[in-house]
Amino acid sequence: NTSNDPEFRGQYTPDGTYIGPVQIDADDVEYIMAELWRNKCAVTGVGLGTVMSLVRWDRTRPAAPDNLVLMCSKAVVKFDQDWEELGDGRNGVEEERRRKIEGRLKMCALEAEIF
C-alpha cells in the first residue's frame, strides 16, 4: 500500500481507496483488453457483443495494467455490490476464477518489469 508515500498523499479516501489519476494510456487499454483478457469478461467469460468495462481489481491500488480487469456490465454490478456487502468485490468472485484473474495480473506485472 502506497497511501503513506508522500508521492501519493491526498490520493486515498479514509478507507484506503485510491482516487488518484489513471495510470494507463490508449496502448495499455488495447493490450489489457486484447492480450491480457482476450476481449472476454474475466469473471464470466462472456465475449464481446456486451458492454465491457475495465475495473480496478484492488481499489487500494491505482488503475494500472496490472490492476485492471475486463468485466461485462453484470459482473461490474455484482463486483460493486460485493464490495459494499463483503468489504471487497474480489470476495464475491469464485475462488478458482479469482486465482486465474490474479495469476494474469501477476503475469502482467512481471511483463511490465521486463519492459
Side-chain angles (χ1 to χ4, degrees):
N1 188 345
T2 56
S3 60
N4 294 324
D5 186 327
E7 179 183 351
F8 294 99
R9 214 170 261 140
Q11 297 180 4
Y12 288 87
T13 63
D15 70 355
T17 299
Y18 179 81
I19 55 172
V22 174
Q23 298 181 352
I24 61 171
D25 60 23
D27 290 335
D28 291 329
V29 171
E30 182 179 342
Y31 167 78
I32 293 165
M33 290 182 69
E35 300 297 324
L36 190 61
W37 301 113
R38 297 179 181 99
N39 293 318
K40 293 183 180 175
C41 174
V43 176
T44 67
V46 69
L48 290 177
T50 186
V51 176
M52 298 280 202
S53 299
L54 288 172
V55 177
R56 281 185 301 152
W57 186 244
D58 178 349
R59 288 188 180 179
T60 66
R61 296 186 47 234
D66 66 342
N67 190 39
L68 289 170
V69 176
L70 188 63
M71 293 187 197
C72 65
S73 56
K74 278 184 158 180
V76 171
V77 169
K78 184 178 180 321
F79 191 78
D80 288 342
Q81 287 173 342
D82 289 343
W83 197 275
E84 296 299 321
E85 295 170 10
L86 304 174
D88 190 330
R90 298 172 292 185
N91 293 336
V93 177
E94 189 267 328
E95 189 175 333
E96 179 63 26
R97 178 65 65 176
R98 183 175 174 166
R99 275 198 299 272
K100 287 180 180 181
I101 291 170
E102 291 174 351
R104 284 207 182 163
L105 292 172
K106 285 178 185 173
M107 179 183 68
C108 182
L110 290 173
E111 287 179 8
E113 288 177 12
I114 292 170
F115 299 105

